[in-house]
Amino acid sequence: MDGFERRRERKRQSILEAALSLFLEFGVQKVSMNEIATKASVSQVTIYNYFKNKDRLVEEVIRYYVDKAWQEADIILTSDLPFPEKIKRLIFNKKRSANNIHENFYQHFMKAYTTGDGYMAKLMNKEAIPKMMNLFNEGKAQGYVDPAISNEAIFFYIQMMNEYMQKKDVYTKILPLTEDIMHILFYGIVGNKETRT
């Protein structure tokens, strides 16, 4: 990548970061292209040169957001941390994300997930689910996950949740429940054995 391409990519990143920050705080509908341009220190024309229109920018910001979230999760999943610490950090990241996302941006995000170009579904199937299965295998090896539960059952459960969450009448209500759902996924309804007395 030559100097021109690096500058162009840095400018694109700056626009994506500015838009993401504003969308997370105020939602998509309440943020103007002018506000994004001001925050990114570029002109509106520059944004349109990179993204054609606001809809295209929103699509790219969602993809950018997904990539950032996956990178954070991947660092945790591939770390040498013990299983319980990985779970705590994954739940904390989900809780933090849920607390820092505007409802309107979340709705755009879920709509893109359910009707978009398939980018998120591909990421889930090729990256996230295999690494989650590895995590559960680690949990079995470390004595935290019941070895009697088959990987097929775990995979089926994750897929079932994933498919159910893609329904509009579900994803429009799920954001406030994110932490509880993650807790149930990792600890079950009974809860974390370490915290029970």
Side-chain angles (χ1 to χ4, degrees):
M1 192 181 293
D2 65 21
F4 173 76
E5 289 171 339
R6 275 193 300 275
R7 282 190 305 278
R8 184 169 169 75
E9 184 55 31
R10 276 196 305 268
K11 195 174 285 190
R12 185 178 187 283
Q13 285 292 119
S14 176
I15 295 166
L16 289 170
E17 277 291 334
L20 177 59
S21 172
L22 291 167
F23 292 163
L24 286 172
E25 186 172 354
F26 303 107
V28 172
Q29 289 175 322
K30 298 217 176 181
V31 175
S32 70
M33 294 298 263
N34 185 49
E35 290 168 316
I36 297 167
T38 299
K39 188 164 183 77
S41 301
V42 298
S43 71
Q44 286 187 63
V45 172
T46 300
I47 294 175
Y48 286 110
N49 285 338
Y50 282 85
F51 299 103
K52 191 168 102 176
N53 57 43
K54 189 174 179 183
D55 290 338
R56 183 69 183 140
L57 174 62
V58 170
E59 289 172 17
E60 289 295 319
V61 167
I62 289 170
R63 186 177 282 212
Y64 180 71
Y65 178 71
V66 167
D67 288 343
K68 282 181 68 164
W70 171 243
Q71 287 169 1
E72 288 178 15
D74 193 39
I75 288 168
I76 295 168
L77 290 168
T78 58
S79 73
D80 292 332
L81 293 169
F83 180 80
E85 186 61 27
K86 286 182 181 183
I87 298 306
K88 287 177 192 168
R89 290 187 184 195
L90 288 169
I91 290 172
F92 174 78
N93 281 359
K94 282 287 189 185
K95 179 181 178 182
R96 188 187 65 209
S97 294
N99 289 339
N100 293 326
I101 189 169
H102 190 279
E103 178 72 28
N104 177 258
F105 181 65
Y106 174 76
Q107 297 302 327
H108 280 269
F109 172 84
M110 288 306 294
K111 185 175 180 188
Y113 182 44
T114 59
T115 62
D117 63 1
Y119 179 76
M120 288 185 260
K122 287 177 198 163
L123 182 68
M124 278 291 288
N125 292 324
K126 289 186 178 183
E127 299 282 339
I129 290 176
K131 289 195 176 174
M132 290 293 290
M133 296 308 295
N134 287 341
L135 175 67
F136 286 115
N137 286 333
E138 284 178 36
K140 287 179 182 182
Q142 295 175 22
Y144 294 102
V145 174
D146 184 349
I149 300 173
S150 70
N151 282 353
E152 292 78 18
I154 294 171
F155 178 75
F156 182 80
Y157 182 77
I158 292 171
Q159 283 292 96
M160 187 174 57
M161 279 184 41
N162 183 36
E163 289 176 20
Y164 186 69
M165 288 180 2
Q166 291 182 37
K167 295 180 178 188
K168 186 174 183 178
D169 62 322
V170 174
Y171 75 69
T172 56
K173 300 172 190 161
I174 204 166
L175 187 60
L177 304 172
T178 301
E179 182 180 7
D180 288 344
I181 291 168
M182 288 299 291
H183 190 88
I184 291 169
L185 171 64
F186 290 118
Y187 298 122
I189 294 171
V190 175
N192 181 355
K193 290 179 186 175
E194 292 179 7
T195 61
R196 284 186 285 151
T197 54

